[in-house]
Amino acid sequence: MYPEIQPYAHGFLNTEDGHQVYWELCGNPEGKPAIFLHGGPGSGCSAVHRRLFDPEHYKVLLFDQRGCGRSTPHASLDNNTTWHLVADMERLRREVLEAEQMLVFGGSWGSTLGLAYAQKHTERVSELIVRGIFTAQQPELLWFYQEGASKLFPDYWEDYLAPIPVAERGDLIAAYRRRLTGTDRKVQLEAAHAWAQWESRTITLLPNKAQRREQSADESALAFSRIENHYFVHQGFMEEGQLLRDAHKLHQIPGVIVQGRYDVCTPAVTAWALHKAWPQAEFHLVPDAGHAFDEPGILQHLLAATDKFAGKVPA
């Protein structure tokens, strides 16, 4: 990745409906405008995400989506939907990036949000890079949170099941919802850590202790788990299959799709369906990678994509 850098500007977007959304600008103030969309929803941005863009060529905006990271109020579910986030992106484009168009880069949940924004504001997207494709459809949610991935990780699955009584295990997302939105702090945190740990243990092809530490703090785990569960209870606040149905709106946008073949969190079947629905985009199915963006084959293609769209290599 590119060397570590610090933001040259940062602040908060007042959404005027109860949220203060943290944002930062990195790189070259005169560079190509780009926005980075983190995963989760609920995980927040980190310094390593700045390093996916050549700082000499890009003016990059990173922001912590509603309720997570440095945004406030912490772990809030009020006025927190996909379409609130899309509206935040549009304001950030106008008021902070001050750009007519911007490159949109998102992985995992960030791919969901990137696709939603690009389909609603197609004329504002100069290029679209998505990784670890997730579209919040019911089969995707059931695979990872009810039954499917459980068969590959039975040991980790037991820990995910532990906070939920047997009688409630027929709908695990709903059972977690009751605990994550309850008033018992101890119960909340037990559920939050179990939910977050299940994902952090399974997103890399090989075990990665750094990924497990990322949401080990109580407040990080709570924001991540509450917000993610909130979105999944509501299936991303979208119609079933909406993002694939409307992929034809992307056909004029230059794009890159990157997917790990052994991605257990967001299986490759969804990326393949997006590739078929948006054939104009480059498609890279990495043969020896899981879900995380920093696995070598995935990272290589992501950096190549940002370099290409910066004009550093021939299109």
Side-chain angles (χ1 to χ4, degrees):
M1 287 185 278
Y2 285 97
E4 292 184 11
I5 57 171
Q6 296 299 316
Y8 66 81
H10 62 90
F12 288 88
L13 176 76
N14 181 356
T15 67
E16 300 175 358
D17 60 5
H19 291 266
Q20 297 287 326
V21 173
Y22 173 82
W23 58 263
E24 62 184 38
L25 287 171
C26 303
N28 180 354
E30 303 302 321
K32 179 182 179 66
I35 190 168
F36 177 85
L37 308 175
H38 66 69
S43 63
C45 287
S46 67
V48 71
H49 296 140
R50 304 169 189 157
R51 301 175 60 195
L52 291 161
F53 304 85
D54 184 337
E56 294 185 4
H57 286 77
Y58 278 100
K59 177 184 183 182
V60 185
L61 187 147
L62 301 93
F63 73 105
D64 292 335
Q65 295 160 28
R66 295 186 179 208
C68 67
R70 291 147 290 188
S71 295
T72 60
H74 182 76
S76 172
L77 307 182
D78 296 334
N79 298 317
N80 197 341
T81 73
T82 303
W83 306 109
H84 286 100
L85 301 184
V86 166
D88 292 345
M89 289 174 63
E90 198 37 14
R91 282 193 61 196
L92 289 166
R93 177 192 64 79
R94 294 195 310 267
E95 299 174 21
V96 180
L97 266 179
E98 299 179 315
E100 289 298 310
Q101 287 191 312
M102 59 186 178
L103 179 149
V104 176
F105 182 128
S108 193
W109 160 257
S111 76
T112 320
L113 182 56
L115 291 167
Y117 177 86
Q119 290 176 11
K120 186 172 179 64
H121 298 286
T122 309
E123 73 285 357
R124 299 304 181 187
V125 181
S126 57
E127 300 90 9
L128 177 60
I129 302 170
V130 285
R131 182 272 310 166
I133 308 307
F134 174 65
T135 58
Q137 295 182 88
Q138 192 68 3
E140 296 171 276
L141 296 169
L142 293 176
W143 158 265
F144 195 61
Y145 293 104
Q146 188 64 41
E147 184 177 20
S150 56
K151 297 183 183 299
L152 297 176
F153 300 99
D155 47 349
Y156 300 157
W157 187 250
E158 283 191 6
D159 293 334
Y160 172 72
L161 290 178
I164 310 301
V166 173
E168 294 184 57
R169 291 179 182 175
D171 187 343
L172 289 164
I173 294 178
Y176 265 97
R177 167 80 169 186
R178 287 188 284 274
R179 285 153 182 81
L180 291 167
T181 58
T183 57
D184 188 318
R185 175 73 171 179
K186 182 179 178 181
V187 170
Q188 258 197 335
L189 288 177
E190 180 188 20
H193 282 291
W195 179 282
Q197 179 177 251
W198 165 242
E199 181 164 324
S200 68
R201 283 173 152 182
T202 55
I203 63 172
T204 53
L205 183 60
L206 299 175
N208 186 320
K209 291 182 180 179
Q211 290 286 352
R212 297 185 191 184
R213 287 195 299 269
E214 197 167 302
Q215 271 118 23
S216 60
D218 285 351
E219 295 309 311
S220 295
L222 187 61
F224 176 79
S225 302
R226 268 174 60 88
I227 295 171
E228 193 169 79
N229 176 273
H230 166 70
Y231 273 72
F232 297 168
V233 163
H234 295 96
Q235 289 185 243
F237 301 92
M238 292 178 288
E239 298 173 13
E240 181 71 5
Q242 177 177 334
L243 295 180
L244 292 176
R245 180 197 71 199
D246 293 345
H248 62 91
K249 297 178 181 180
L250 310 174
H251 286 190
Q252 302 306 312
I253 299 175
V256 175
I257 303 166
V258 181
Q259 176 72 34
R261 182 176 289 280
Y262 296 106
D263 185 337
V264 173
C265 182
T266 59
V269 63
T270 306
W272 186 254
L274 179 62
H275 164 53
K276 292 293 187 180
W278 182 27
Q280 296 83 1
E282 285 184 23
F283 178 68
H284 301 283
L285 187 58
V286 182
D288 54 352
H291 181 70
F293 83 92
D294 55 356
E295 296 197 57
I298 291 176
L299 183 59
Q300 175 186 355
H301 285 297
L302 295 177
L303 291 169
T306 57
D307 281 354
K308 170 186 173 178
F309 291 137
K312 293 177 65 176
V313 292

